[in-house]
Amino acid sequence: MNLFAVFNRDGGTFRTTDMDAYCAHAVKTFKQAGHDIDCHVVAGDDVVTTMQKAAQSDGIDGLIAGGGDGTISAAADIAWRSGLALGIVPAGTMNLFARSLKLPLDIWQVLDVLADAKVQNVDIASANGKSFVHQFSAGLHARMVRYRNSMTYGSRLGKIRASTRAAFGVMLNPPEFEVEFNAEGKVGHRKVSAISVSNNEFGSDPLMFADSLTGGHLGFYIADPLKPAGVAQLALDILRGRLKENAAVTAMTATELELHFPRERHDVRCVIDGELLPMDRDVKLKIHAGELKVLVPRDSGQVEQGVGSGI
């Protein structure tokens, strides 16, 4: 394959990595496996533009993207719209898409796996046309991200501390709002504290990522209005891998989902693949089954993910 690699030098693990050495190792690893690869290390502000230029170049078969979940989500959108195969180097905090693809979380080990990988077609989802590989959410999660974004941190430990403080803040002040939904004929009008729509159903892991990305459906989760004790119980059930067993949670699946928020509220936000964004009062979500080409381990049964290599 003729590959174009873009590594976000401001993203997580890469901030403390010798990127010249890493790029040289990437080129050597892929060339030994018979691929041609052009490697670029760029600042975070230049990542999307560089990937878009790669997608518009002639003769490129695949895009290798390295960085946090935001970088990977942007890369997936570009690869999906351009028909390129996507290989990901997980250098972020959660690395949720990499976990679903059963890639190793070590940034050095993953190069060996990607160089020997196979191409697989997996699902990608969209909300009002904006793609996502993990989830769209509103309510509790959006409020927590907003709280966290108001804090200052510059390290993995700092981000963990900020996230913990934000989680406690949301627990003491959970949101409540109305939503109307139509999930392929399953309709409802509810008051809720949280909405989550995932690219395939979440597995049992506390990090809440899909065990498989080839099921061809969205996971749709809504939580009834919660008091602080209810938020604490929900968090506990998530940690125990029992999200669907929580009494306040309703879970279903669909290939298309329509959400309408009947009450106009000021500055309403949602989270799409970790990014806090303005939210429309009407949101249409769709699964695009098998439309994203990704590089996955040739023998995923032999891959051990471990705990990752950094932020």
Side-chain angles (χ1 to χ4, degrees):
M1 298 179 72
N2 189 11
L3 303 169
F4 193 103
V6 181
F7 300 134
N8 181 356
R9 70 182 180 208
D10 299 325
T13 307
F14 287 150
R15 285 185 291 181
T16 56
T17 299
D18 182 339
M19 293 308 297
D20 289 337
Y22 187 79
C23 237
H25 181 70
V27 170
K28 178 181 178 182
T29 300
F30 279 93
K31 286 194 172 182
Q32 286 179 340
H35 305 290
D36 290 323
I37 185 168
D38 191 8
C39 186
H40 298 260
V41 179
V42 300
D45 290 342
D46 298 324
V47 167
V48 172
T49 300
T50 305
M51 293 191 297
Q52 288 173 336
K53 288 181 179 178
Q56 295 166 2
S57 302
D58 293 332
I60 299 296
D61 302 308
L63 174 65
I64 306 296
D69 285 337
T71 296
I72 300 307
S73 182
D77 181 77
I78 292 168
W80 172 47
R81 297 183 190 279
S82 61
L84 296 177
L86 174 66
I88 65 174
V89 176
T93 306
M94 307 296 284
N95 303 311
L96 298 167
F97 193 44
R99 294 176 190 273
S100 290
L101 296 178
K102 299 176 175 57
L103 289 167
L105 302 183
D106 180 87
I107 62 172
W108 299 88
Q109 182 187 358
V110 76
L111 294 177
D112 295 320
V113 172
L114 292 175
D116 187 47
K118 62 183 179 182
V119 177
Q120 181 179 7
N121 286 71
V122 301
D123 306 338
I124 189 169
S126 66
N128 285 353
K130 180 174 175 58
S131 70
F132 61 94
V133 292
H134 179 231
Q135 75 167 335
F136 162 97
S137 60
L140 287 173
H141 187 206
R143 182 165 290 186
M144 188 190 78
V145 173
R146 178 179 285 189
Y147 285 174
R148 188 189 66 197
N149 287 356
S150 68
M151 304 174 193
T152 301
Y153 54 87
S155 66
R156 178 176 183 270
L157 182 59
K159 187 172 184 179
I160 291 173
R161 287 173 175 169
S163 296
T164 302
R165 289 173 58 195
F168 275 109
V170 171
M171 186 181 300
L172 296 174
N173 185 29
E176 181 178 326
F177 56 99
E178 291 182 58
V179 63
E180 298 172 4
F181 64 85
N182 185 341
E184 296 182 321
K186 300 175 184 177
V187 298
H189 183 177
R190 303 269 292 271
K191 285 188 176 181
V192 298
S193 279
I195 295 172
S196 180
V197 183
S198 57
N199 177 16
N200 285 269
E201 292 178 274
F202 291 136
S204 59
D205 192 281
L207 292 180
M208 296 174 63
F209 58 87
D211 291 334
S212 171
L213 294 174
T214 59
H217 57 255
L218 302 166
F220 176 38
Y221 308 87
I222 50 179
D224 295 336
L226 298 171
K227 300 298 183 183
V231 179
Q233 183 62 54
L234 177 60
L236 178 61
D237 286 340
I238 290 173
L239 290 173
R240 298 163 65 194
R242 297 179 178 178
L243 169 66
K244 295 180 184 179
E245 298 175 31
N246 183 276
V249 172
T250 301
M252 60 190 84
T253 61
T255 57
E256 293 191 9
L257 171 66
E258 294 179 354
L259 302 176
H260 172 67
F261 302 93
R263 295 185 61 185
E264 186 171 359
R265 296 179 297 149
H266 175 67
D267 195 25
V268 179
R269 300 298 179 106
C270 64
V271 174
I272 298 180
D273 281 351
E275 184 181 5
L276 190 65
L277 298 168
M279 185 172 69
D280 296 330
R281 290 181 64 188
D282 292 282
V283 183
K284 185 171 183 178
L285 300 112
K286 298 175 62 176
I287 194 77
H288 304 273
E291 292 190 12
L292 178 63
K293 295 188 291 185
V294 293
L295 299 181
V296 298
R298 192 166 294 276
D299 183 3
S300 59
Q302 296 182 0
V303 173
E304 294 184 5
Q305 288 191 322
V307 297
S309 55
I311 191 168

